[in-house]
Structures are given as structure tokens and as C-alpha cells.
Amino acid sequence: MLQSLSVENYALIEKLEIEFKSGLNIITGETGAGKSILLGALGLILGQRADTSALKDNEKNCVIEGIFDIEKMNLKAFFEENDIDFEKQTAVRRIITPSGKSRAYINDIPVNLTTLRDLGLKLIDIHSQHETLHLSNHQFQLNVVDVVAGNSDLLTNYQQKFSSYKKEEQKLQQLIDEQKKNANDFDYYSFQFQQLHDAKLVDGEQQVLEEEERELSNAETIKSELQFCSEAISEAEGSVLTILKNCHQSLKRIKEVFHRSEALLERIDSTTIELKDISQEIQDLNEKIEMNPERLATVKERLDLIYSLQQKHRVTSIFELIELRNSLDKKISQISNSEEQIAAQRQLTDELLLKLREQASLLSEKRKAVSEKIAEYIATQLGELGMPFAKFKIDYLESELTNTGFDKIEFLFSANKQLSFQDVAKVASGGEMSRLMLSIKTLLAKQGDLPTIIFDEIDTGVSGEVADKMGGIIKDVSQDIQIINITHLPQIASKGDYHFFVYKESDDNSTSTQIKMLSKEERITEIAKMLSGQNLTPAAIQNAKALLKS
């Protein structure tokens, strides 16, 4: 339950602290005194967004803190999952700086707004006049039925399976879309691949072919020059070898008288051997070089093919062409196997869908099993709230599978015997909607599904004896859970265990909102004012005492 709320520098509040109790806490005050401001401050520690317009003084931080007794609320798992220290008396704090930055803390551990909001949903249920509109929301209606049916674990498990199913369904659709797209590309890919495959490309062959093409194209010139070199070294009259031979003989003749010629003779011998070797290699090369127009044409044709493929695919090497060929081969293989992939994925998706439908059917059965119980309870409550002929029914329609199953439900309502059932949003008046919502909230509270409940003028549209009955129901529910009830009706205010009064204080510089717990005498006066206005009458005082006594 909410034990205390402290608010500093928020809207009209400069600083205030409230200590709430278990049971029924009543809050009253004049219109505009700031009751809604308290709800706004409370909303901030429950994860609602804020901006600097919430600050009373734009040069100071806005600080809001709530202390909650959570000892019996089974929240240890939540704290463990979010790595937050669990404390029986848990402090939730929110700070908004003048620059607009927001910081949130749970037991002094910094948390993000999502975590704060998730915890807030487990701590407090706020019912405002606006929330009454939720009665016509099919999701809200379904949530009510699921709570009464005890579907929490089953629904969580179903939603996990639904999420998995949607992912697999998406994969299936992607495969189908890819197949459609690839089917258009298949012929193109096949043609490209076949052309590269038929080319029988070998990495490195381009360099070899280009060298061969240069030799074949210049064979006549090459042979001519090689022949010249061969003759110049060894064959022609006056060749290099002939001259060296003559030199060798000359040096040999002076060998006996000129010993230094021996070294020269050795060098001439070495040179002669080397030149003979060169001459032989030239002759061998010359013999191998042939003028072969047919081979030249073949090489040119092969190179033309390689060049055209490189130009077509905008690459510069055979290696890149081979990589492209392998890539095309892989794409063609994937397209060829797409039918098998789609069939396997469709089977997986169908199996998940079958299991999903089984769980959706179980959810639906459990919902329908409690529908009559819900209708009877609400009709009984409405009878106690001055609507003896009111009828309530839950109608089921089957829809496509969603993350809540295939049930689409409608709350149907009839205020009297003559009227047939119709959608609650179309036929219920403001006062009837308030009584319907109170009946639903009390039903949920009895299921143990609600934490502290805050009713913000749930009594809109009712008065007199109905208001008194409504107060009695709220009082009854408060025996099990803490209720904070903002009201403008004395019949309901008198039912409170504790009564807080919101008022404004003004001086020459500013106006601020204050709140205080009323004493017994102050409470009599406040309820009397609610009965008769500011001009208190003895009758109003007596009526106030009677209401409090009853």
C-alpha cells in the first residue's frame, strides 16, 4: 500500500507530505484546490512523462517520492529481474530538473521510465473519469474477463508462442517474396553463369595468353633478330667467337715471354664458353619460335572473350570473374532450393499455428466459463446501486488470431426491462457508466488483482441514496485493499476511515496547494459544507453527524 507521498516544487505545490493509511482514505476539497495536482504528482512516480511546465519554481528541482509497503505483494521476482534491492518499505522517487531532465530511482537505484512504469502498474490502479471511457474498449473488456478467469500465466505463455509464430510467419513471407523476385532473375542469373562457366576460366591464364599473343604477333621480327644474334656470335664471317679465337692464339704466342697473358687467356676461355652457350640458347629459341597464324587467331579469340567478359562485368581480372561465377552459382542454387525452404518453413509455421489455436481455444473456454459469473455479479452490484432492472452480458465474436487469442468480446448492457441488450458505450449514461466501472473494479479487487486503488470522482453522475450505496461498496472493498477516493459527495466522504482536505493558501507573492488530515470536528464541518455549501446550517451539521455515525 501507499504509506506516504511527499511532493516538492510541483505545479501549485511548494512542499507537502501526506501519510496514507490502510482502508478507505477520502480526499475532498474545493474545485481547483489541487486534488488533480496530487494525482499528477503521483503519476510521475508511476512512470508518466513530465516536462518543466510541472515546476512551480523554474530554478529548483521538482522532487516526488512515494513510500510503499510491499511486503505481501509478491514482488521479489520483479526486483531480482531488474537488479534492484528489495525492501519491504520501498521508496520510489522522481526528480525533474529545471533543464527538463528526468531521473527516477527505486530504493535509490537509478531506473528508466519503463521499469518505473512496470512497477507502478503493480503498486497502484488509478481510476479517473477519463478511464470510464475504457468500458467501451474491447481490450479493457477482455482484460477484465482474463483476470476473473485467472488467465495470467496461460495468456503470457500464449503471447510468447504468438510472438514466435509471427516471426516464423514473417520468415515464410520473406522466402515467398524472395522467390517471386528471384524467379524473375533466375533466367538472367543462369545465362550469366552459363557464359562464365562455358568460358572455363583459369586464374592466371590471361597473363600467359597475353605473352603468347605478343610472341606470335611478332614471330617474324623475333626470329630475324635471334638469327642475327646467332650469326654475330658464332656463324658469320668475322663473328665474335672467330675474333675471340684469333685473340686467344695471339696471347698464346706471347705466353712464354709475357706471363700476365695467362690470366687473360683464362678469361677469354670463360667468355668463349659463355658465348657458345648463349649462341646455342639463341638457336634453340629461334627453332621454337614459329609463325603460326592459326594459333595466333586462337589466342586472340580467347583473349577477346576474356576482355569482353571483364568489360561486361566491370572487373579487371580472371580471379574476379571466377568469384562472380561462383556467386551466381550459389544464387541459382538458392533459387532452385527455395521451394524446399518454403515448404519446410510453411510446415514449421503451420505447426506453430496449430499449437497457437489450441491455446487460444483454451483461453476462450476459460473466458466463457466465467462470463455468466461476471454478468451475475455486475447485475447484482448494479441492483444495489439503484438499478434493480439492469442486465449485463458478455458477447463473444471470433476474430483472426491476435496476441490475446481469437476472442473479440463486447460488454452488453440494458438499464431496464423494456430495453434489449446493446453495446455498453451506446446506451449507458454517465452515472450508469460510473456504477458499471465501480462494479468491475470491486470484482477485480475481490480477485486480488488490484493493488492500491485510487478513485478520482468515480461517483460522477450519481447522488442521494445511490451515492450512499456506492460509498458502502467502496467501504466494503477497502477492508481488503487500500483505497484513496477523491470525491465531491458527502455520502461517500462520510464512509472514509481517514479524511484529507485539499485547500489553497495565498499570500502577496504566490498561491500554493496544501493538504491536511481532518480531525473529527473538522470532518463534521467539511461534510456539512459539502451538504449545504459555505453557509453552514444546524441541519447540515446534524446531517453530517448522522452520515458519519451511520
Side-chain angles (χ1 to χ4, degrees):
M1 73 173 201
L2 176 62
Q3 290 185 312
S4 66
L5 177 68
S6 64
V7 184
E8 185 175 343
N9 194 37
Y10 176 75
L12 292 177
I13 299 173
E14 186 173 329
K15 188 173 184 178
L16 62 79
E17 293 186 6
I18 320 167
E19 290 190 3
F20 292 104
K21 311 291 183 180
S22 60
L24 179 55
N25 298 263
I26 295 294
I27 297 178
T28 62
E30 296 179 359
T31 301
K35 299 187 294 295
S36 60
I37 294 175
L38 287 175
L39 285 182
L42 190 58
L44 289 179
I45 61 171
L46 299 179
Q48 293 179 5
R49 296 197 173 275
D51 54 47
T52 53
S53 65
L55 276 60
K56 179 176 174 63
D57 185 339
N58 289 327
E59 296 182 357
K60 296 180 180 178
N61 287 343
C62 167
V63 183
I64 301 166
E65 182 173 79
I67 305 296
F68 295 85
D69 181 353
I70 63 170
E71 183 177 3
K72 300 177 181 179
M73 295 185 68
N74 299 318
L75 290 177
K76 285 187 178 180
F78 174 86
F79 280 75
E80 289 173 1
E81 289 169 9
N82 291 280
D83 199 23
I84 303 170
D85 294 334
F86 177 82
E87 300 288 346
K88 294 177 183 178
Q89 310 296 315
T90 283
V92 181
R93 186 167 70 256
R94 184 86 176 274
I95 299 173
I96 295 99
T97 67
S99 65
K101 292 183 178 178
S102 170
R103 299 193 296 272
Y105 303 86
I106 299 174
N107 292 333
D108 293 325
I109 303 296
V111 297
N112 57 37
L113 277 188
T114 300
T115 303
L116 193 67
R117 194 176 299 118
D118 289 344
L119 179 61
L121 292 171
K122 301 175 188 298
L123 296 176
I124 291 181
D125 176 77
I126 297 180
H127 171 84
S128 63
Q129 295 181 55
H130 171 72
E131 195 194 16
T132 302
L133 299 175
H134 290 175
L135 266 176
S136 58
N137 181 287
H138 296 298
Q139 186 58 56
F140 173 81
Q141 296 174 358
L142 196 60
N143 288 343
V144 170
V145 176
D146 278 331
V147 168
V148 179
N151 279 343
S152 178
D153 291 341
L154 180 61
L155 186 59
T156 298
N157 185 266
Y158 169 86
Q159 288 173 338
Q160 290 171 347
K161 283 185 168 59
F162 182 79
S163 177
S164 298
Y165 165 71
K166 294 303 287 185
K167 287 177 182 177
E168 298 304 329
E169 186 183 44
Q170 188 176 18
K171 287 181 185 177
L172 174 61
Q173 190 57 50
Q174 285 175 345
L175 287 172
I176 293 171
D177 292 342
E178 286 174 8
Q179 185 193 46
K180 289 179 180 176
K181 178 182 177 298
N182 290 337
N184 298 326
D185 297 333
F186 183 79
D187 291 341
Y188 174 74
Y189 289 155
S190 297
F191 173 77
Q192 300 277 54
F193 169 78
Q194 197 60 47
Q195 194 177 41
L196 290 169
H197 178 269
D198 292 344
K200 298 185 181 352
L201 300 167
V202 178
D203 191 22
E205 71 168 317
Q206 183 176 350
Q207 185 178 354
V208 174
L209 288 170
E210 286 174 341
E211 187 175 344
E212 185 180 2
E213 190 263 345
R214 284 192 296 272
E215 287 185 6
L216 288 168
S217 297
N218 296 279
E220 185 175 356
T221 301
I222 293 170
K223 286 181 75 66
S224 174
E225 297 299 338
L226 287 174
Q227 183 63 36
F228 170 79
C229 289
S230 177
E231 291 176 354
I233 292 172
S234 62
E235 295 179 8
E237 189 176 334
S239 67
V240 174
L241 284 174
T242 300
I243 294 170
L244 277 176
K245 183 178 179 182
N246 293 334
C247 289
H248 185 276
Q249 290 174 348
S250 295
L251 288 171
K252 191 174 182 181
R253 282 195 291 270
I254 61 173
K255 175 181 173 185
E256 296 299 328
V257 295
F258 188 63
H259 293 295
R260 279 179 287 179
S261 66
E262 290 182 2
L264 294 171
L265 283 168
E266 289 178 2
R267 292 174 65 185
I268 287 175
D269 287 339
S270 295
T271 302
T272 300
I273 292 169
E274 180 66 17
L275 283 171
K276 285 180 178 179
D277 187 58
I278 291 172
S279 177
Q280 185 61 49
E281 190 168 341
I282 289 173
Q283 290 174 17
D284 291 342
L285 287 173
N286 195 15
E287 288 174 4
K288 289 178 182 177
I289 297 296
E290 60 177 338
M291 288 178 283
N292 188 340
E294 292 80 7
R295 176 58 185 168
L296 177 60
T298 301
V299 171
K300 282 182 174 291
E301 184 180 355
R302 179 67 173 169
L303 283 172
D304 286 343
L305 172 63
I306 292 171
Y307 294 150
S308 66
L309 288 173
Q310 288 175 345
Q311 185 177 16
K312 176 179 180 179
H313 297 290
R314 297 181 181 180
V315 298
T316 58
S317 69
I318 287 181
F319 177 76
E320 291 172 291
L321 287 174
I322 292 172
E323 280 197 325
L324 176 61
R325 181 194 67 197
N326 294 340
S327 174
L328 288 168
D329 188 27
K330 187 176 180 181
K331 286 181 180 179
I332 292 167
S333 177
Q334 287 175 340
I335 295 172
S336 300
N337 294 331
S338 63
E339 284 294 345
E340 294 177 9
Q341 290 178 314
I342 289 172
Q345 186 64 30
R346 180 171 280 116
Q347 182 179 352
L348 174 61
T349 306
D350 289 345
E351 288 172 357
L352 288 174
L353 181 60
L354 183 62
K355 293 177 182 177
L356 204 57
R357 287 193 177 279
E358 289 174 358
Q359 282 211 306
S361 296
L362 185 55
L363 275 170
S364 185
E365 288 172 11
K366 293 188 69 176
R367 287 164 179 162
K368 290 174 181 177
V370 298
S371 293
E372 191 172 336
K373 170 188 171 183
I374 294 171
E376 289 176 356
Y377 178 88
I378 291 176
T380 300
Q381 290 291 93
L382 291 174
E384 293 183 13
L385 291 170
M387 300 175 67
F389 302 115
K391 295 177 290 183
F392 185 84
K393 186 172 81 167
I394 302 172
D395 197 19
Y396 284 81
L397 300 171
E398 187 169 326
S399 67
E400 292 184 1
L401 279 178
T402 68
N403 69 335
T404 55
F406 51 63
D407 287 328
K408 180 180 179 182
I409 69 171
E410 288 185 348
F411 281 1
L412 303 179
F413 173 73
S414 171
N416 54 59
K417 292 179 179 180
Q418 286 76 32
L419 293 178
S420 59
F421 281 110
Q422 293 188 54
D423 189 331
V424 65
K426 296 178 180 178
V427 294
S429 65
E432 289 167 346
M433 292 283 268
S434 293
R435 282 176 269 186
L436 268 170
M437 183 57 87
L438 178 60
S439 300
I440 289 170
K441 291 287 183 179
T442 58
L443 174 62
L444 297 179
K446 288 181 181 297
Q447 303 299 314
D449 186 68
L450 296 182
T452 292
I453 301 179
I454 296 180
F455 287 131
D456 180 19
E457 298 189 357
I458 196 172
D459 46 35
T460 299
V462 301
S463 59
E465 186 179 350
V466 172
D468 187 64
K469 293 278 190 180
M470 184 175 280
I473 290 173
I474 294 172
K475 174 71 174 178
D476 180 54
V477 175
S478 72
Q479 305 304 308
D480 300 313
I481 60 174
Q482 182 189 47
I483 293 181
I484 299 171
N485 191 15
I486 299 172
T487 183
H488 64 281
L489 294 180
Q491 296 93 331
I492 293 178
S494 65
K495 298 290 192 296
D497 298 307
Y498 309 94
H499 191 151
F500 297 88
F501 180 66
V502 180
Y503 61 99
K504 286 182 180 178
E505 278 188 349
S506 299
D507 56 27
D508 294 337
N509 297 318
S510 66
T511 299
S512 63
T513 292
Q514 301 291 337
I515 188 169
K516 67 176 180 178
M517 183 186 290
L518 299 179
S519 65
K520 183 178 179 181
E521 291 304 316
E522 289 173 329
R523 194 172 180 195
I524 292 171
T525 301
E526 169 61 10
I527 291 176
K529 287 180 180 179
M530 294 173 75
L531 286 164
S532 66
Q534 292 298 319
N535 297 320
L536 289 179
T537 64
I541 294 291
Q542 288 302 315
N543 284 340
K545 289 179 178 180
L547 282 174
L548 286 167
K549 188 176 180 180
S550 66

